[in-house]
């Protein structure tokens, strides 16, 4: 009976180990000790790591579904890097300045498409930051400046829609396309 119990324990441990989801890599030029958070789709922080020489590694203790989304949130950065659990291991190489766009990603197709989404939206996000800074500098009494800004904002909405539609057409089966439709468009 003891032999059966030991075999059951070994099989359970082997099954649990194979069910894990691992994300590792390097974020060059990150501050020593800068925090990186691993957050699940439900918004719960599953793990965090202090970067050492840019290196990080997360291993989940549960078996995510292949369409579960995760985010890497780098301390001090406004936007997260989105991942999909369509492959059990993800390896990311990037740098702090370009985050959430990675230089290379070894992952499943859905995470690859999520990176394509990050790359497509990169110029849009830069424009959002410029517009936010401009809006903050407008004097509340300056109606001409407000009107000029409204025109820029309307033009930007068109650019966002064009970028989004181009991405959707190029990636109709991407989970990132669904994310884009729900969150951005």
């Amino acid at each position: 009976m003891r032999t059966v119990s030991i075999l059951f324990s070994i099989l359970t441990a082997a099954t649990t180990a194979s069910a894990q989801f691992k994300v590792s890599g390097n974020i060059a030029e990150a501050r020593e000790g800068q925090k990186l958070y691993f957050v699940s789709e439900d918004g719960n922080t599953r793990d965090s790591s202090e970067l050492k020489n840019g290196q990080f590694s997360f291993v989940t203790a549960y078996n995510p579904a292949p369409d579960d989304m995760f985010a890497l949130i780098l301390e001090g950065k406004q936007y997260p890097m989105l991942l999909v659990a369509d492959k059990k291991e993800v390896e990311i190489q990037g740098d702090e300045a370009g985050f959430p766009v990675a230089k290379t990603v070894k992952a499943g197709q859905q995470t690859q498409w999520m990176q394509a989404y990050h790359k497509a939206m990169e110029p849009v996000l830069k424009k959002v930051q410029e517009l936010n800074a401009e809006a903050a500098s407008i004097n509340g009494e300056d109606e001409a400046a407000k009107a000029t800004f409204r025109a820029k904002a309307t033009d930007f909405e068109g650019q966002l829609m064009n970028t989004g539609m181009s991405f959707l057409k190029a990636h109709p089966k991407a989970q990132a396309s669904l994310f884009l439709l729900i969150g951005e468009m």
Side-chain angles (χ1 to χ4, degrees):
M1 189 63 159
R2 180 166 165 80
T3 304
V4 171
S5 177
I6 291 171
L7 284 174
F8 181 75
S9 295
I10 291 170
L11 285 174
T12 301
T15 302
T16 302
S18 68
Q20 293 178 337
F21 181 68
K22 179 180 180 182
V23 182
S24 61
N26 183 294
I27 300 174
E29 301 165 10
R31 287 187 334 270
E32 193 69 16
Q34 189 170 2
K35 286 272 210 176
L36 184 66
Y37 299 93
F38 183 80
V39 180
S40 59
E41 188 171 359
D42 60 9
N44 290 320
T45 300
R46 298 291 179 178
D47 204 350
S48 66
S49 177
E50 287 188 9
L51 299 173
K52 293 180 177 76
N53 294 325
Q55 300 290 320
F56 68 92
S57 181
F58 299 105
V59 180
T60 65
Y62 63 98
N63 187 10
D67 62 346
D68 282 356
M69 288 180 59
F70 296 87
L72 293 180
I73 299 174
L74 183 60
E75 180 181 43
K77 297 303 266 187
Q78 186 172 3
Y79 302 105
M81 179 183 290
L82 303 174
L83 311 167
V84 181
D86 61 335
K87 194 171 179 185
K88 295 294 182 191
E89 289 193 30
V90 176
E91 185 180 325
I92 297 165
Q93 301 296 319
D95 59 39
E96 197 268 345
F99 194 89
V101 177
K103 292 184 187 274
T104 63
V105 176
K106 293 180 184 174
Q109 184 62 61
Q110 290 294 334
T111 293
Q112 296 289 340
W113 283 335
M114 207 50 94
Q115 270 298 298
Y117 160 80
H118 283 306
K119 288 176 185 172
M121 296 306 286
E122 190 173 30
V124 172
L125 295 176
K126 286 181 182 176
K127 184 68 174 176
V128 165
Q129 291 170 337
E130 290 170 12
L131 288 172
N132 285 341
E134 183 177 339
S137 71
I138 294 174
N139 180 337
E141 305 297 318
D142 189 347
E143 294 302 320
K146 286 192 231 179
T148 300
F149 181 79
R150 279 190 214 98
K152 287 181 182 179
T154 299
D155 182 54
F156 171 73
E157 287 176 11
Q159 292 172 6
L160 174 62
M161 290 301 287
N162 288 338
T163 300
M165 291 306 293
S166 294
F167 184 86
L168 292 171
K169 287 176 184 174
H171 304 91
K173 295 182 181 183
Q175 193 167 339
S177 293
L178 182 60
F179 180 81
L180 178 63
L181 282 170
I182 292 169
E184 307 292 337
M185 301 179 73

